[in-house]
């Protein structure tokens, strides 16, 4: 119900004239405020959404378009719902701040900072409600600062969210110097990184009692939680970002929501810009939009171990008739050689353990189901912990098991 309301609110926000349709011009206005879109980009997206070809996007078309698995524009809906969205790559973003405009930092439009550059002031300060989320695209140059480095906040009202001398993210009152920060390092140095700061207030009214969480994203692993601190800046305002220092090189955007974003939403926001800022490839972004994890690459030793286990199984010498490939970074593309080894064993493998790997729905459909259809003897298969297999596909998999022959699948943890 909450998701349906979000989609409805987004449609109303994009339909600026309230006629019940999103026109080509309205779509262009939204996208120009969220990135450097060309006329061709907007035309292609318009054609994709306008299924009946009448030149506008009606509500049903909009729902089908936005809710499609892997949809690129999910991030755009979240950015358009924000209370503040300042981006160096749009004219509107530059118009929201006072003083110097953005330049190019490591090939990306951004506000640059150094020892001689002061913080960037917003033309209008924004209030942090009882719960809030701030997203900052930043480039850090060093992992240990000699002093506190404020990234965003308001010095007059005593709000500083930034990097401590220890190298961890934290929250600090610049007037009293009182603060809390994480022990974990802030994140990768020398690359663009999206920092999420989420404040949760534990009292009915805004105040310091609560928790501030820090999440970061900078590569194909997506969004991860760094840590949290026992303090929150609810009720204070954000009026500036950046600072004169050697540790912060640039800020590409600042976005504020007056609510807590879920981790899946953070992922969508990250993927909106991650390809442009060089954090992931198009293929990696498409994979992450489907909610799938990217398998870490196996080392040479791990590859050798896998080949050795498969060869032993194929020779009919598997210990206890079990081929254990758990937690070996197995992906869909590995499954054919796995099943070839099982078939070559001539019933020397009666138990296959594929737990805690990276098998997806595609792997189940293309490889696992055909394999199970050819099983003619008792066989046990463990898929526990393959988190990228959906519950719907899991049911198809379980129904394919010929239980009358004593076959079983351990699907716990999927």
């Amino acid at each position: 119900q909450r998701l349906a309301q979000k989609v409805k609110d987004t449609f109303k926000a994009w339909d600026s004239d309230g006629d019940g349709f999103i026109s080509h011009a309205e779509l262009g206005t939204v996208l120009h405020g969220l990135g450097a879109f060309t006329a061709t980009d907007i035309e292609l997206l318009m054609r994709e959404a306008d299924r009946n070809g009448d030149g506008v996007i009606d509500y049903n078309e909009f729902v089908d378009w936005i809710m499609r698995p892997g949809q690129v524009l999910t991030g755009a809906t979240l950015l358009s719902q924000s209370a503040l969205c300042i981006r160096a790559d749009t004219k509107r973003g530059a118009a929201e701040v006072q003083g110097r405009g953005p330049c190019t930092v490591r090939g990306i439009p951004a506000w640059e900072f150094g020892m001689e550059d002061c913080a960037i002031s917003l033309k209008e300060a924004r209030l942090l409600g009882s719960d809030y989320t701030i997203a900052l695209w930043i480039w850090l140059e060093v992992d240990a600062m000699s002093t506190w480095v404020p990234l965003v906040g308001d010095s007059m009202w005593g709000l500083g969210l930034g990097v401590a001398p220890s190298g961890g993210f934290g929250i600090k009152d610049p007037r009293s110097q009182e603060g809390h920060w994480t022990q974990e390092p802030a994140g990768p140095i020398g690359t663009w990184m999206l920092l999420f700061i989420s404040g949760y207030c534990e009292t009915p009214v805004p105040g310091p009692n609560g928790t501030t969480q820090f999440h970061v994203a900078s590569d194909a692993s997506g969004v991860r939680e760094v840590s949290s601190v026992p303090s929150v800046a609810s009720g204070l305002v954000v009026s500036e970002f950046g600072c004169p220092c050697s540790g912060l090189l640039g800020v590409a955007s600042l976005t504020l929501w007056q609510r807590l974003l879920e981790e899946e939403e953070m992922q969508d926001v990250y993927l909106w810009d991650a390809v442009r800022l060089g954090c992931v490839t198009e293929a990696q972004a498409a994979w992450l939009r489907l909610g799938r994890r990217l398998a870490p690459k196996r080392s040479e030793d791990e590859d050798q171990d896998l080949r050795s286990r498969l060869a032993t199984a194929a020779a009919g010498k598997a210990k206890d008739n079990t081929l254990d490939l758990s937690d070996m970074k197995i992906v869909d593309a590995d499954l054919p050689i796995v099943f070839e080894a099982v078939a070559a064993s001539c019933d020397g493998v009666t138990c296959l353990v594929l737990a805690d790997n990276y098998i997806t729905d595609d792997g189940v459909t293309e490889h696992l189901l055909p394999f199970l259809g050819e099983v003619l003897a008792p066989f046990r298969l463990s898929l526990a912990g393959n988190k990228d297999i959906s519950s719907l596909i899991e049911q198809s998999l379980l129904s394919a098991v010929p239980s009358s022959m004593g076959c079983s699948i351990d699907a716990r943890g999927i």
Side-chain angles (χ1 to χ4, degrees):
Q1 185 176 3
R2 187 175 66 172
L3 178 60
Q5 187 61 47
K6 287 180 183 178
V7 173
K8 185 176 181 180
D9 291 344
T10 301
F11 182 84
K12 290 175 64 177
W14 291 22
D15 175 23
S16 57
D17 62 7
D19 66 353
F21 301 95
I22 297 174
S23 66
H24 186 285
E26 288 171 330
L27 180 63
T29 297
V30 170
L31 295 180
H32 282 312
L34 301 177
F37 283 83
T38 66
T40 301
D41 294 333
I42 295 170
E43 181 63 32
L44 290 174
L45 289 169
M46 189 72 190
R47 290 178 185 177
E48 180 183 324
D50 180 18
R51 291 296 184 88
N52 62 13
D54 62 358
V56 293
I57 305 171
D58 62 37
Y59 181 70
N60 290 330
E61 288 174 329
F62 183 76
V63 172
D64 291 342
W65 185 38
I66 292 297
M67 299 302 293
R68 196 176 308 152
Q71 175 53 254
V72 176
L73 285 183
T74 308
T77 66
L78 290 164
L79 291 171
S80 67
Q81 293 166 2
S82 63
L84 174 67
C85 186
I86 298 176
R87 300 173 58 92
D89 63 339
T90 66
K91 293 181 179 179
R92 189 180 72 182
E96 293 274 1
V97 304
Q98 300 180 22
R100 59 192 173 92
C103 58
T104 300
V105 177
R106 296 294 190 265
I108 298 297
W111 284 273
E112 187 174 20
F113 295 93
M115 294 301 295
E116 306 299 324
D117 299 304
C118 60
I120 299 294
S121 298
L122 309 185
K123 288 186 176 178
E124 180 181 348
R126 302 303 172 100
L127 178 68
L128 298 180
S130 57
D131 300 331
Y132 63 86
T133 304
I134 296 172
L136 270 175
W137 272 106
I138 58 176
W139 183 297
L140 297 178
E141 281 286 79
V142 293
D143 55 5
M145 318 294 180
S146 59
T147 60
W148 170 263
V149 178
L151 298 175
V152 61
D154 184 289
S155 56
M156 180 178 295
W157 287 91
L159 168 60
L161 297 162
V163 184
S166 64
F169 291 121
I171 179 171
K172 181 178 181 180
D173 186 333
R175 301 167 303 179
S176 66
Q177 301 301 307
E178 179 184 355
H180 303 270
W181 38 82
T182 67
Q183 297 302 311
E184 294 80 358
I189 305 302
T191 186
W192 285 107
M193 166 177 60
L194 183 56
L195 166 64
F196 289 97
I197 306 167
S198 303
Y200 169 69
C201 188
E202 296 174 351
T203 57
V205 294
N209 298 320
T211 303
T212 301
Q213 290 184 317
F214 299 91
H215 291 75
V216 297
S218 61
D219 55 28
S221 61
V223 175
R224 64 178 179 86
E225 182 177 355
V226 177
S227 190
S228 60
V229 295
S231 182
V232 70
S234 299
L236 298 182
V237 299
V238 168
S239 66
E240 59 191 20
F241 62 90
C243 65
C245 72
S246 59
L248 175 64
L249 182 64
V251 175
S253 69
L254 164 63
T255 311
L256 165 65
W257 294 265
Q258 292 176 327
R259 67 176 181 87
L260 296 175
L261 290 190
E262 298 174 1
E263 195 162 308
E264 292 83 359
E265 293 177 312
M266 293 181 186
Q267 187 88 304
D268 288 328
V269 172
Y270 168 61
L271 293 174
W272 180 250
D273 288 303
V275 175
R276 179 176 68 89
L277 273 67
C279 299
V280 297
T281 65
E282 289 281 5
Q284 289 171 332
W287 193 259
L288 290 171
R289 286 190 187 98
L290 291 172
R292 294 173 175 174
R293 301 165 301 152
L294 286 165
K297 185 177 177 61
R298 286 192 296 266
S299 66
E300 290 185 10
D301 288 343
E302 289 171 331
D303 261 334
Q304 179 59 41
D305 185 20
L306 175 60
R307 289 193 295 268
S308 176
R309 295 191 192 195
L310 292 176
T312 300
K317 299 179 180 179
K319 184 179 180 180
D320 298 327
N321 300 108
T322 298
L323 175 54
D324 187 355
L325 301 178
S326 57
D327 197 21
M328 293 198 68
K329 304 173 185 175
I330 301 295
V331 297
D332 295 345
D334 295 320
L335 293 178
I337 61 172
V338 171
F339 295 136
E340 285 175 10
V342 173
S345 74
C346 298
D347 296 332
V349 174
T350 58
C351 177
L352 174 60
V353 182
L354 292 170
D356 300 317
N357 282 298
Y358 295 82
I359 299 168
T360 72
D361 288 0
D362 297 337
V364 172
T365 302
E366 295 175 19
H367 306 297
L368 271 171
L369 289 177
F371 168 76
L372 290 173
E374 297 177 359
V375 171
L376 299 176
F379 193 85
R380 291 190 295 121
L381 173 66
S382 173
L383 290 169
N386 282 272
K387 300 177 182 179
D388 299 311
I389 299 178
S390 68
S391 57
L392 182 62
I393 292 295
E394 180 187 358
Q395 291 304 312
S396 300
L397 183 60
L398 293 173
S399 64
V401 177
S403 56
S404 60
M405 291 188 296
C407 296
S408 65
I409 294 180
D410 179 4
R412 290 172 301 166
I414 295 181

